[in-house]
Amino acid sequence: MKHLMMLVSLLLFVGQVFATTPLPGDSVYQFNAKLTDQSGRTSPWSSRQGRVQLVTMFYTSCTMVCPMIVDTMKLTQKAIDEPARSRLDLLLISFDPERDGVSALHEYADKRKLASPQWTLARTEPSEARQVAALLGLQYRKLPDGDFNHSSELILLDAQGRILARTAIIGRVDPEFVQAVRKALGAG
Amino acid sequence: MSRLSILLLGMLLAGPAVAADYAPLPGDTFKSVLPADGKAAPAQIAAFQMRTEPVTNAEYLAFVNSHPQWRRDRVPAIFADKRYLSHWSGAVTLGEEALPDQPVTRVSWFAAQAYCESEQARLPTWYEWEYAAAADGHRTDARSDPQWRESVLAWYGRPSNTPLPRIGGAPDVHGIRDLNGLVWEWVSDFNALLVGVDSRDQDGADKTKFCGAGALNMQQKENYATLMRVAMLSSLNASDTATTMGFRCVRSP
């Protein structure tokens, strides 16, 4: 019980530290977006600070490049040795929040074996998807048939949400990008 | 008493400037330079209202005063680059290089969005902007007129170090001014236009960068002036600012 109390007060303390530490001006977490994940939890995007992240955008009904994007994230993750690997979070944000509800995200995570808590599949409010894409420097366009044209890039964020590196190499590991990930995790 | 002095007096007395004018545009089917399906489909445009003028320095100053998080000395770097409002004499003063009735420039997409939200409006989509800008004094679509094209192109040729004109050009058939010939303007979906700085690279390496049906093909290649605008917009990042880049807002009815 005493341990539990200590843990709770430690968590409260950590929470406060995060709430009061000013974000760097070039942090993507300056944008106050809300993310809802594959299990239905909604939290501010900025609550992801504290962990190094691989981030990209996708949509669940995408059959062409998106599966390759996810594969490339997996390959990049595997290229990092433990224990650093388990310190890396992976975040996929949907271009298509209209259709990608919690259940679609959940199904996709199951199908592609993207285990939480390391993997997060998230949707924003429909009005915020374009702003999130703009922050990440990604382009997308909805086509009349419901598909999307979009740029395919992996983005590396540091623990405070600053963009450290990005790669447009999809389908295989980009060695330079992997090196940047290792360095960000303190394993380079 | 000039319009300028009235505006200045108004700002001194009231703070926020007089509410901006919006003019209605009817909905339409519009053949854009960017076909909706990447092949030939026209754009469907719902009726909307557009600001008759781009946002001015005076109006933007009033916004910065009421939303100090958008002052150039306070804005986070992720939302606006270092040159944001750098032609103003201070964080909350315009100075000689930024006249009150010149269009505000050196504003990022994030800043333009925030401004439009502050007047219960939004940035236009590319289709809305292109559709509105196709009009001239007596036609809703003047694009097939070689003279219209030339006049738009002639403006591009103006050296970038010439001072910006003030707002108040001749109204078009909808009552809207200065869409062509004054400043470049942000659109809400600038990061959806998907063309490289040079459209030739769409056929080559860039195709692998994009998921789905491949990058858009651009139609109406003779409409070079509009295509240049698309190329320019899609080369920008959302925090970029430029000496000739301003914006105006729209509202859905």
Side-chain angles (χ1 to χ4, degrees):
Chain A
M1 187 63 199
K2 207 171 170 186
H3 277 98
L4 184 64
M5 289 291 285
M6 268 172 68
L7 193 66
V8 168
S9 48
L10 186 70
L11 282 175
L12 282 174
F13 177 68
V14 170
Q16 268 172 357
V17 168
F18 277 121
T20 51
T21 306
L23 279 173
D26 54 354
S27 167
V28 298
Y29 300 137
Q30 291 279 355
F31 181 66
N32 191 16
K34 276 200 171 65
L35 296 184
T36 303
D37 69 15
Q38 68 268 37
S39 58
R41 269 190 307 264
T42 300
S43 41
W45 191 13
S46 60
S47 69
R48 299 186 67 83
Q49 61 185 298
R51 303 267 296 177
V52 174
Q53 319 260 320
L54 269 192
V55 185
T56 194
M57 291 182 78
F58 84 123
Y59 62 108
T60 63
S61 54
C62 170
T63 52
M64 295 176 76
V65 178
C66 303
M68 283 172 65
I69 295 175
V70 173
D71 289 344
T72 312
M73 286 175 89
K74 285 181 173 174
L75 289 172
T76 307
Q77 183 191 30
K78 281 201 187 109
I80 311 292
D81 292 330
E82 289 291 7
R85 189 192 297 171
S86 53
R87 294 201 297 273
L88 178 67
D89 278 356
L90 303 107
L91 172 64
L92 287 155
I93 303 174
S94 176
F95 290 116
D96 194 8
E98 313 266 354
R99 288 189 300 177
D100 283 342
V102 170
S103 60
L105 297 173
H106 189 85
E107 257 171 53
Y108 194 89
D110 268 1
K111 199 174 69 187
R112 298 301 318 272
K113 302 195 166 53
L114 311 175
S116 62
Q118 265 190 298
W119 287 85
T120 303
L121 287 75
R123 66 186 296 280
T124 59
E125 290 305 310
S127 62
E128 288 178 345
R130 190 158 297 287
Q131 282 155 304
V132 169
L135 283 166
L136 296 172
L138 296 173
Q139 303 201 335
Y140 73 96
R141 177 187 189 85
K142 190 175 186 176
L143 302 173
D145 63 5
D147 271 336
F148 287 74
N149 280 352
H150 63 87
S151 48
S152 307
E153 286 185 83
L154 301 186
I155 294 147
L156 173 65
L157 298 182
D158 74 7
Q160 291 173 295
R162 287 174 291 206
I163 296 175
L164 292 179
R166 55 198 306 134
T167 181
I169 294 177
I170 297 297
R172 62 188 168 85
V173 162
D174 174 352
E176 264 181 55
F177 187 70
V178 168
Q179 197 46 47
V181 177
R182 283 199 191 106
K183 204 175 150 207
L185 292 165
Chain B
M1 184 142 165
S2 74
R3 198 175 153 194
L4 173 62
S5 335
I6 293 173
L7 199 66
L8 283 174
L9 190 67
M11 280 169 51
L12 283 174
L13 293 176
V18 186
D21 279 340
Y22 281 76
L25 280 87
D28 206 349
T29 299
F30 179 75
K31 200 163 163 35
S32 166
V33 295
L34 300 178
D37 59 352
K39 295 179 201 82
Q44 305 295 331
I45 296 168
F48 64 104
Q49 297 163 354
M50 183 176 247
R51 244 177 174 271
T52 56
E53 292 288 4
V55 174
T56 63
N57 280 316
E59 289 168 327
Y60 200 82
L61 177 62
F63 165 73
V64 164
N65 278 325
S66 57
H67 300 75
Q69 68 271 34
W70 289 100
R71 286 165 52 135
R72 72 177 191 198
D73 56 347
R74 295 194 192 168
V75 70
I78 193 95
F79 295 138
D81 68 21
K82 286 198 177 73
R83 287 157 306 167
Y84 173 66
L85 299 178
S86 59
H87 59 310
W88 285 15
S89 62
V92 288
T93 49
L94 298 183
E96 281 170 19
E97 282 176 50
L99 301 175
D101 60 352
Q102 276 176 330
V104 68
T105 58
R106 294 189 199 259
V107 280
S108 66
W109 178 81
F110 288 113
Q113 267 206 331
Y115 179 94
C116 289
E117 272 173 36
S118 79
E119 61 180 42
Q120 290 77 53
R122 58 182 172 82
L123 285 174
T125 64
W126 165 256
Y127 285 150
E128 287 169 338
W129 195 93
E130 186 190 4
Y131 164 65
D136 69 1
H138 55 282
R139 290 167 291 191
T140 57
D141 191 347
R143 293 177 298 167
S144 58
D145 181 348
Q147 255 190 317
W148 177 89
R149 287 184 199 156
E150 260 175 51
S151 67
V152 176
L153 271 178
W155 167 61
Y156 292 171
R158 197 184 63 193
S160 61
N161 56 359
T162 30
L164 280 180
R166 299 168 183 206
I167 61 163
D172 68 16
V173 69
H174 303 295
I176 295 174
R177 301 163 191 269
D178 300 326
L179 278 164
N180 291 300
L182 190 56
V183 282
W184 303 86
E185 296 183 15
W186 281 111
V187 294
S188 61
D189 51 351
F190 80 99
N191 60 352
L193 308 180
L194 286 197
V195 278
V197 173
D198 183 340
S199 66
R200 280 174 305 180
D201 46 40
Q202 293 305 316
D203 289 330
D206 255 18
K207 262 203 176 140
T208 55
K209 256 174 84 177
F210 298 112
C211 175
L216 283 175
N217 296 312
M218 298 203 290
Q219 299 288 298
Q220 304 173 45
K221 297 235 168 17
E222 72 279 8
N223 225 329
Y224 184 60
T226 311
L227 294 173
M228 268 180 76
R229 194 175 276 268
V230 169
M232 197 280 297
L233 281 168
S234 55
S235 72
L236 292 172
N237 291 313
S239 61
D240 285 347
T241 69
T243 20
T244 50
M245 187 79 186
F247 68 101
R248 72 178 72 212
C249 318
V250 297
R251 288 183 183 137
S252 299

